[in-house]
Amino acid sequence: MRKRQVFFSSVLVLVLAGCDEDGASGDTPAQAYTDFFTAMPQSAAFPPDNPGSAEKIDLGEKLFWDPILSGRMDVACATCHHPDHGWADARSTSSGVGGSGLGASRVGGQGTRFHSPSVLNAGFTGLTQSPAGADFVSGGYFWDLRADTLEEQALEPIRSAVEMRSEDFVEDEIIPEVIRRLGAIDEYQNLFANAFDDDEPISELNIARALATYQRSLISRRTRFDAFLLGDSAALTPAEVVGLNKFINGGCANCHSGPMLSDNLIDQARPVQTDKPAVRTPTLRNVQLTAPYFHDGSLRTLRDAIAFYEERGDLDVILDEDDFGDIERFLQTLTDSQFPNRVPVSVSSQLPVGGNIL
């Protein structure tokens, strides 16, 4: 919700034209809003060198939940990306190696620098309102966009001493160690052979490919806002449309637009704050489920996160507490109550599912 010099011209006039004097929606056609937003696609795009398959998804799910990928075999990808917390972890910053418990109840362990984002819809990261073109896959990833692809992103937590690797291994040792461990388990040998037609199917590249393929299957698109964008004008209440209009008119849609409600860009023009580095625009999908907010998890409530931009002077118009409440009401329509939430009963290593989270 950063300020840019953008005037919505006739489009915004059309958006607001059907509102009564209180701002509630009258006969405004839902199609007007698609100049700013689009519904989530049904499936993510796969890169040519890693086409999707059921076998890869199955393997990727087991790897995602298996702490065998971590140095001390106590942390899994799912430790910090769990469906109970919208596929994030409900913490300001995450607790990796050496921690125990799940989410806000997790104690001990190495603390990460950044807040853990949700991996729901990770396969759509970078998809904006502009036509993506046939070659669009997704990216970039992490708060600083340092990973260009989901495959590249998938391996970085394994290599991180704080998140998964531990100090027991140096960085260039951990992936070979994980490959050795996986190769010693018959079930993983079969899973990799079924997913990849390679002479040596258990490899660094194929671990990344399987994890990325699984994450591309975690799609959340059954929100009332998606239904509204697809033409169901009754999917949002008049009060929620008020919030939507204020979201646009206030300038929030300058950066939070498109299917992900994010341009996935780093705003270098934000005020210089040494304790708050410039980071990418996060998606607002399922934002109600992923508190606390911002890259450092510094704000506990959605209302506080909205108000922060007004206090910093980033918005195109001056908003007050009532406006914050209206925008919050709209943002709650981005919650999907039927997102994927499967937790496997077991993983192939027979280690605790999700790591040390109980």
Side-chain angles (χ1 to χ4, degrees), residues 6-206:
V6 176
F7 183 65
F8 295 112
S9 66
S10 59
V11 177
L12 185 56
V13 173
L14 177 59
V15 168
L16 299 176
C19 300
D20 60 26
E21 62 183 2
D22 294 325
S25 176
D27 299 323
T28 305
Q31 183 62 31
Y33 295 101
T34 59
D35 283 11
F36 302 98
F37 314 102
T38 53
M40 184 67 75
Q42 293 189 11
S43 59
F46 291 85
D49 62 349
N50 188 23
S53 72
E55 291 79 10
K56 287 183 192 176
I57 292 173
D58 183 38
L59 170 60
E61 179 184 51
K62 287 183 170 60
L63 293 174
F64 189 90
W65 287 89
D66 199 331
I68 198 172
L69 300 188
S70 63
R72 297 176 184 173
M73 297 189 284
D74 63 341
V75 182
C77 304
T79 305
C80 299
H81 300 284
H82 198 284
D84 284 2
H85 302 293
W87 293 89
D89 68 359
R91 298 177 56 86
S92 294
T93 56
S94 296
S95 168
V97 172
S100 62
L102 180 64
S105 299
R106 189 169 173 83
V107 296
Q110 295 288 313
T112 64
R113 181 184 178 193
F114 292 116
H115 174 67
S116 180
S118 173
V119 296
L120 278 174
N121 298 315
F124 301 108
T125 298
L127 185 60
T128 66
Q129 195 72 356
S130 301
D135 59 346
F136 173 80
V137 179
S138 61
Y141 292 93
F142 295 111
W143 285 102
D144 58 3
L145 300 178
R146 67 184 181 274
D148 292 330
T149 69
L150 196 48
E151 284 77 8
E152 182 182 342
Q153 178 277 328
L155 295 177
E156 287 215 19
I158 300 173
R159 295 191 177 107
S160 167
V162 171
E163 295 181 53
M164 296 179 70
R165 169 169 58 90
S166 82
E167 298 291 351
D168 298 348
F169 298 87
V170 297
E171 186 172 332
D172 61 1
E173 290 177 338
I174 188 60
I175 298 297
E177 171 63 16
V178 168
I179 291 172
R180 184 196 66 77
R181 293 173 185 174
L182 296 173
I185 298 173
D186 290 344
E187 185 173 342
Y188 271 128
Q189 292 178 18
N190 293 331
L191 287 166
F192 273 91
N194 290 335
F196 299 101
D197 185 19
D198 296 343
D199 292 338
E200 298 291 338
I202 303 179
S203 67
E204 176 178 341
L205 179 59
N206 288 342

Side-chain angles (χ1 to χ4, degrees), residues 18 38 65 74 87 98 103 151 207 220 233 258 278 281 301 341 345 351:
T38 53
W65 287 89
D74 63 341
W87 293 89
E151 284 77 8
I207 292 170
S220 167
S233 59
T281 306
T301 71
N341 61 0
V345 175
L351 292 167

